[in-house]
Every structure is written in C-alpha cells, then in structure tokens.
Amino acid sequence: MAGRLSWGLGDQAVSSLTNFAVGLFVARSLGTFAFGMFSLAWVTYGVVLNISRGMATDPMMVRFSAVPEESWRRAVSSAAGTAIGVGLVTGLISVLAGALAVQPLGGVFIALGAVLPGLMLQDAWRFALFAKGDGKKAFVNDTVWGVALIPALAIASHFGTVVAFVLAWGLAGAVAAVYGLFQTGIVPRLSEMKGWLKDQRDLSVRYLIENVSNAGSSQLRAYGLGAIAGITAVGAVRGAEQLLGPFLALLMGLSLTTVAEGARVLRHAPHRLKHFCVVLGGGQAGAALLWGLGLLLLVPHDVGRWIMGSVWDAAEPLILPVTLSVTAAGFTAGAAAGLRALGAAKRSLRAQLVASAGYVVFGIFGAYLDGAEGAAWGSMLSVWLGAALWWYQLRVAYREYRPPAPEPAALRTNDEEVGTV
C-alpha cells in the first residue's frame, strides 16, 4: 500500500506542481485581472473534469481495481471513450458560450473548449493506471505533460494573452494523452459510451451529481464573486488558493489511490477501514495546516511579491481562511474515501449536495459583506460544517455495511469478480 500511495503522491506532485507553475507564470506575466479570467476558465475545467470522473473513471476505480487484466482492459477502453465523449460535448458548449460572451473573456472559453477532449483523455489514463496498481506509468505520463509545457509556455509568453496560455497548457496535456495510448496499448472506444453509462448507471449517476456539485460550487462561487466584487477579486482568491498548490498536490495525489486502497482494506480487513480513514484524513488536515501557517509566518512580503507579482498584495490577507478551508477539506477526504470504498453512493451524494450548497451560499454571502476576504471566510466556515456531515455519514454507512457472504471459488463467475465493492 505504501508503495502505491507513494506513486500517487509522486504523480500528483508532478501534475499539481506543473499547474502551480503555470498559475504563477500567468499571475506574474499578466496581473490580477487577467489571472481572474484564467481562474474562471480553470474552475470551469474543474467542473468538466469532475463530470468525466463521475461518468467514466470513478465507477472504473470502484469496480475494476485489482481485477484480471482482460477485464481491466475492456473497462478502460469504455471509460476512456466516455471521457473523450464528455470532453467533446462540454468543449462544444464552451466554444458556443465563448462565442456569445464579451471579449476578451469569450476567447478564453473558446480556447478552453478546444483543449477539453485531450485533457479528459489524459486524466482517464491516470485513473486507469492507478486502478491497475501501476502508478509509475501515471507518474511518467504527467511528467510528459510537464516537459511539453516548457516549450509551450515559451511560445505563449511571446503572445502575452490568457488565450495563449490556456492553449499552451491544454495542448501540452494532449501530448500526454497521446502518449497514454502507447503506454496502455488500449484504444478508447467512443462507441461504447452509451453501454458504459448503462452498465454503471447505479454508481455513475450519483457520482456525477456528487462531483458536479463539488466542482460546480467552486464555479458558482467564483462567478458570484466576480459579479459582486469584480474579476480582480476572483484573481485574489485564486491567488491565495494557488499558494496552497504544493499541499493540494498531496491531497489530490492521495485521492487517486485512496478509493482503491480503501476497497482493498474493506475486502481483507473490514474492521480496519475506520482507522484507515481517520489516519488519512487527520494526516492531510495536519499537513495543510502546517503548510499554510508556514506561508504566513515564514514568507516575507517582498518574497511573496517576487513570486506572484502584484497578485500577492491581494492574496496575502486571504491565506489564513484559505488554509483553514483546505485543512477541513483534507479531513473530509478521509471520510469521502471510506464512503466510496463502501459503495455508499447515496450517503456520499447527500453529504456532497448539502456541503456544496453551503459553500455557495456562505461564499457569496461573504462576498456581499466584504468582497474577496468575506468570500474566503464564509467558504471556510461552510467547509468545516461540511466536514462534520461527511464523517457522520461515514459512521452511519459503516454501521449499515454487511460483508458479502464468501462463495466457493469454483462457483464464482468472472462478472462477479469485477462487481461492486
């Protein structure tokens, strides 16, 4: 388990630190207002990514982790095709929205729409490789993306626009997506999207709603903050969140493997699942708190301004509430992994919907009271309330769980071996 988790951390470290570097580069190059536009595109990408995961890769992680090779390959082909389909549909919507929006924001969404299919496929390869237990290849794939970004950003810097940076980031991801075809030797089948969604609908519908409510709440808060306090305020909040990027690499890296590992714990030692979730959530919360306090206490103002340019001035007062928010999110991640491993999609969906609604309401109300700073503190309060709800739902789901009765190996069919956890 330690080895698989280590590769998850390493992979997400490459992915998140690459995105961290892109964000800093845009912030330094273009200023707070342009960084606000980039942030609106970024949170929209996050929504699409969560749609793809809910429909394609989350069910694959739950049902096709540690299964026979042939079953895994069939599932990956269908799930990757579904991810491409999500990217094509949402990409078209983004292009149409960009054509109707005011400039220069419209051009940013047109550029985002063009790169979404490749980005969704790249993310699907990562989840597929971790489901197989081959995190090393996922690490290599994200490294390819990072290397491809170097010349892409160099070219984008000559144009000096948000559109150029969105295209550079997205096309570099597409290079990694193509490389994933050679790593896995699997051809995504878009034609199997309908069949995949039909077969996985008992999980995918709930995971889709859960994921979209999670990412959509960030998007709605960003749009609401922009409407109330302006796009510059969006850039300020995103700038503070950007400073937590290295820790978010830890949070997201573990999330790639924790569901699969939780499923393994549940199969072999169900009584240890609670301990697994507590250690996971507590460790991530502690790491987030230490990182954020380190930023506050150890980074001088002049150094911060050198790193982020003028964005630092607006982001610095928001570091404390954003740190506390991410601390709560780290604690919540332990409960979320447990609920996914238990297959308690109904309870995790309930927790996510309530938490997301609170995030939007508290964040926008805070923005109304005190702009970017009010939004950050309001969001922090909602995330801690949501954490309490997640852990309550895990406690109830664990009490309700009944291990399946053992079956003779001779009577077990291949389909049953790849069934739900």
Side-chain angles (χ1 to χ4, degrees):
M1 183 188 295
R4 289 189 294 268
L5 290 174
S6 296
W7 280 117
L9 289 174
D11 170 72
Q12 191 59 47
V14 172
S15 177
S16 292
L17 292 177
T18 297
N19 293 336
F20 179 65
V22 172
L24 290 183
F25 199 87
V26 174
R28 282 177 55 85
S29 301
L30 302 179
T32 308
F33 180 79
F35 189 62
M37 288 194 293
F38 184 82
S39 299
L40 291 176
W42 188 274
V43 296
T44 304
Y45 156 74
V47 173
V48 176
L49 191 66
N50 278 277
I51 292 174
S52 177
R53 289 176 178 177
M55 297 175 69
T57 52
D58 281 346
M60 178 186 65
M61 287 288 284
V62 171
R63 287 185 165 150
F64 296 93
S65 293
V67 298
E69 174 83 9
E70 188 57 34
S71 297
W72 174 80
R73 294 182 69 86
R74 289 197 304 269
V76 171
S77 178
S78 299
T82 302
I84 293 175
V86 171
L88 289 171
V89 172
T90 56
L92 178 60
I93 294 172
S94 182
V95 169
L96 293 175
L100 297 174
V102 297
Q103 298 301 327
L105 186 61
V108 174
F109 280 92
I110 291 174
L112 177 65
V115 299
L116 281 175
L119 292 175
M120 296 306 105
L121 177 59
Q122 193 275 338
D123 189 69
W125 292 138
R126 298 172 68 212
F127 275 73
L129 291 168
F130 278 109
K132 188 182 180 183
D134 198 355
K136 182 178 180 179
K137 286 186 177 180
F139 174 85
V140 172
N141 190 280
D142 270 321
T143 301
V144 169
W145 188 355
V147 172
L149 263 171
I150 297 174
L153 289 177
I155 295 172
S157 64
H158 288 293
F159 293 92
T161 64
V162 181
V163 168
F165 283 110
V166 170
L167 288 174
W169 163 68
L171 292 176
V175 171
V178 173
Y179 180 66
L181 294 170
F182 296 97
Q183 283 184 300
T184 62
I186 297 173
V187 177
R189 298 188 181 278
L190 183 61
S191 60
E192 294 184 8
M193 181 176 180
K194 182 178 179 180
W196 174 262
L197 294 177
K198 181 179 179 181
D199 292 341
Q200 311 302 326
R201 63 183 179 275
D202 58 324
L203 291 181
S204 63
V205 172
R206 289 191 172 96
Y207 288 158
L208 172 63
I209 299 172
E210 181 181 326
N211 290 356
V212 170
S213 66
N214 181 26
S217 63
S218 297
Q219 186 180 27
L220 289 174
R221 189 199 65 164
Y223 288 170
L225 177 59
I228 294 170
I231 292 180
T232 300
V234 178
V237 173
R238 176 59 187 162
E241 294 171 345
Q242 187 78 26
L243 293 168
L244 273 292
F247 168 73
L248 292 174
L250 170 68
L251 184 66
M252 297 178 66
L254 287 174
S255 71
L256 287 170
T257 58
T258 50
V259 175
E261 295 304 329
R264 290 184 177 96
V265 171
L266 193 65
R267 284 193 187 104
H268 301 297
H271 63 284
R272 294 191 175 183
L273 181 65
K274 292 185 294 184
H275 304 91
F276 172 80
C277 295
V278 169
V279 171
L280 177 66
Q284 291 180 98
L289 189 60
L290 288 175
W291 180 267
L293 292 178
L295 287 173
L296 282 173
L297 299 176
L298 302 178
V299 178
H301 177 80
D302 291 342
V303 173
R305 213 173 191 285
W306 178 81
I307 294 172
M308 298 194 71
S310 61
V311 175
W312 173 264
D313 296 331
E316 187 178 16
L318 310 180
I319 294 175
L320 179 58
V322 169
T323 295
L324 295 175
S325 292
V326 178
T327 300
F331 191 51
T332 299
L339 284 169
R340 288 285 175 95
L342 288 165
K346 183 177 181 179
R347 292 201 170 276
S348 63
L349 174 60
R350 186 179 303 163
Q352 186 60 65
L353 288 176
V354 174
S356 296
Y359 188 80
V360 174
V361 172
F362 280 66
I364 292 180
F365 185 67
Y368 174 77
L369 294 177
D370 194 21
E373 194 163 351
W377 282 105
S379 300
M380 182 276 298
L381 178 59
S382 74
V383 176
W384 275 105
L385 293 173
L389 176 60
W390 274 96
W391 280 96
Y392 170 76
Q393 293 292 347
L394 175 62
R395 180 185 176 188
V396 175
Y398 187 80
R399 287 205 309 260
E400 295 174 343
Y401 175 72
R402 297 291 180 271
E407 300 177 29
L411 299 178
R412 192 175 297 157
T413 66
N414 186 57
D415 286 340
E416 290 169 332
E417 289 178 354
V418 297
T420 57
V421 174

